[in-house]
Amino acid sequence: MPVNLLDFDYERLAGYFAGIGEKPFRARQVMRWIHQCGEADFAHMNDLAKDLRAKMDACAVVEPPSLMSESTATDGTRKWLLSVGTGNGIETVFIPETGRGTLCVSSQVGCALECAFCSTGRQGFNRNLSVAEIIGQLWWASKALGRGPGGERVISNVVMMGMGEPLANFDNVVSAMRIMLDDNAYGLSRRRVTLSTSGIVPAIDRLAAELPVALAVSLHAPDDPLRDRLVPINRKYPLKELMAACKRYIKVAPRDFVTFEYVMLDGVNDGVEHARQLIPLVKGVRCKFNLIPFNAFPDSGFQRSSPERIAAFREVLMQAGLMTTTRKTRGDDIDGACGQLAGQVQDRTRRRARRTLEASA
C-alpha cells in the first residue's frame, strides 16, 4: 500500500528516502514541492530524476483530506468540512484579519473531553487524526487561499484550536507542528503556532521538553468545583497542578506568557466575584486573558454574557494588572466561531445516544 508523504516530517521523510536507496537531501526537495508549492503530482517535481519520480509514483502518494463542503461568513471567515473517511468529517476555519491570516486546525474527529459549553464535545469521539490529516488541513487551505498580492502566504498563523484536544493526540500533533515550523515547508515561527489545551498536565510538560510553541489554556473557571463541571479533565488535573505546569512551561516557551482562554457564560462564570478569584489563582504565572463571548449552538444550556458583564469582568482583571482582551466573534453565522465546530462524527462513545436517553427520561 502506498505511503502518504504528508504523514512525514523531515526526519521521517529522510528515513523514507534512505530506505529506498536515495540521499537524505531528497527530503528537503520533496518537502518544498509538497508544502511550499502545494504539489501532489510527482511527475511535476521536475528537479528530481525521472527514475526517482517513477519510483515514488509506484510506492507513495500525497493525499490530503478531501473537500465535503465550504462556507464563507459575512465577515470573510471561511470554513471547510473535510472528509477523513468512514463517514467522518472535520472542520477547519480560516480567519482573515488586517496584517494576518489565522488557520484553526483540528486534531481529532470529535473530542473525548466533553467540555460542557463546546459543540465538538457534544458530537462524541471517533479517533485521533493522522499527521497527514492534521497537516493536510494546512496544505489544503494554503492551496485554496493561494498567495497574497506580493506573493506572500495568506496563512501567517496556525492555532491548534479546532475539533479535539491536541495533547490527547500528542505524537501526531507534534509531528504536524514540526512540518509547520520547518523552513522547507511552511516556515512558521514557534510564536505563530499556538496549541490550545484543556489542561492535560503531563502532556504540557512533555510539549515543553519536545517542541514548545505558544500555549493557550482553556481555563473557564476560577475554582475547582466550577471547573470540574465545565471542563471535566479538571477532576484529574486540578487547578493547582495546572498552574504549576504553566509556570514550568513559560521557562521554555517562545512567548513569555501563557494565554488563558475564558468563555463567558451568563450567570455561570462571568461575575466580578469570579474575576476577583482569578487574580490569586494566576499569581506568579505570566499570563494574558482572552475573554471569549459564548457562541451558541442548539441545546447548549448556556447563554452569552452581556457586553456589560464582560466589560465589568475585564475591568477587574485589568485593574489587577492582568493583560486582558475580549475576542471578537468571527464566523458565527456559519457556525465557525470558537466552540461551534461540530464536523461529522461517527461517535464511538455513544455520547449522543446517552444524552438523548437522559433528556427523554
Side-chain angles (χ1 to χ4, degrees):
M1 184 175 178
V3 297
N4 188 351
L5 298 189
L6 283 176
D7 265 320
F8 295 168
D9 59 21
Y10 173 77
E11 186 176 336
R12 290 189 64 200
L13 192 58
Y16 165 77
F17 280 111
I20 61 172
E22 296 290 337
K23 298 292 185 182
F25 77 87
R26 295 298 188 193
R28 289 191 293 273
Q29 288 179 290
V30 173
M31 283 193 82
R32 290 172 190 150
W33 276 110
I34 293 173
H35 298 290
Q36 294 185 1
C37 303
E39 186 55 69
D41 187 342
F42 301 128
H44 295 162
M45 299 180 183
N46 53 25
D47 61 350
L48 303 179
K50 285 186 177 180
D51 61 340
L52 173 57
R53 283 181 269 168
K55 190 187 299 186
M56 291 168 62
D57 202 44
C59 63
V61 294
V62 177
E63 190 170 87
S66 58
L67 180 67
M68 297 172 74
S69 65
E70 178 177 356
S71 310
T72 302
T74 54
D75 62 15
T77 297
R78 294 176 67 176
K79 182 176 77 170
W80 298 282
L81 178 65
L82 302 175
S83 172
V84 289
T86 59
N88 289 299
I90 55 170
E91 293 187 328
T92 306
V93 177
F94 174 70
I95 306 162
E97 299 173 275
T98 303
R100 62 190 275 167
T102 300
L103 190 71
C104 182
V105 171
S106 295
S107 57
Q108 297 180 307
V109 185
C111 185
L113 297 192
E114 203 170 1
C115 293
F117 48 82
C118 180
S119 181
T120 303
R122 292 293 183 95
Q123 304 308 306
F125 175 74
N126 186 272
R127 64 175 175 83
N128 287 332
L129 294 179
S130 67
V131 178
E133 289 165 340
I134 298 169
I135 200 65
Q137 296 169 67
L138 177 54
W139 186 94
W140 203 99
S142 295
K143 285 205 72 170
L145 295 167
R147 296 273 180 168
E152 72 280 3
R153 287 188 181 276
V154 176
I155 299 169
S156 62
N157 295 67
V158 172
V159 292
M160 297 300 307
M161 295 182 184
M163 297 172 64
E165 163 56 62
L167 293 185
N169 185 15
F170 188 94
D171 291 335
N172 290 344
V173 165
V174 166
S175 290
M177 291 195 303
R178 290 192 194 283
I179 299 171
M180 295 174 194
L181 301 174
D182 197 310
D183 286 342
N184 294 301
Y186 300 95
L188 297 171
S189 75
R190 295 188 187 209
R191 294 172 61 89
R192 290 184 176 269
V193 176
T194 300
L195 182 144
S196 176
T197 177
S198 296
I200 303 177
V201 167
I204 292 173
D205 288 328
R206 188 179 169 195
L207 184 66
E210 294 191 23
L211 194 72
V213 294
L215 184 69
V217 174
S218 295
L219 189 58
H220 312 307
D223 59 60
D224 284 321
L226 180 55
R227 195 165 192 267
D228 286 350
R229 179 160 69 94
L230 296 177
V231 187
I233 195 68
N234 192 74
R235 299 166 194 162
K236 188 171 185 178
Y237 305 112
L239 285 168
K240 183 178 179 180
E241 294 182 26
L242 180 57
M243 292 302 117
C246 289
K247 290 178 185 177
R248 294 191 294 270
Y249 193 89
I250 289 168
K251 294 177 182 178
V252 296
R255 292 178 174 172
D256 61 355
F257 62 89
V258 168
T259 299
F260 288 126
E261 298 166 312
Y262 199 99
V263 170
M264 302 296 291
L265 304 169
D266 187 46
V268 177
N269 66 348
D270 64 342
V272 293
E273 68 277 10
H274 294 113
R276 293 191 186 107
Q277 286 177 281
L278 287 170
I279 296 165
L281 175 68
V282 302
K283 185 177 181 180
V285 182
R286 292 193 299 276
C287 63
K288 164 187 166 182
F289 275 89
N290 190 0
L291 307 183
I292 306 170
F294 173 65
N295 296 303
F297 57 89
D299 303 317
S300 69
F302 296 104
Q303 298 294 323
R304 177 183 293 186
S305 302
S306 68
E308 293 76 18
R309 287 181 74 85
I310 295 174
F313 191 99
R314 178 182 177 187
E315 183 63 21
V316 171
L317 297 180
M318 293 184 69
Q319 286 294 325
L322 295 169
M323 185 187 305
T324 308
T325 58
T326 301
R327 182 179 295 177
K328 184 179 179 182
T329 297
R330 301 290 301 271
D332 57 339
D333 55 332
I334 56 168
D335 292 335
C338 180
Q340 289 184 320
L341 301 190
Q344 187 170 303
V345 180
Q346 302 301 311
D347 180 26
R348 292 196 292 108
T349 66
R350 301 186 183 278
R351 184 179 303 157
R352 281 176 289 182
R354 186 185 73 237
R355 187 175 286 113
T356 300
L357 281 174
E358 290 170 351
S360 62

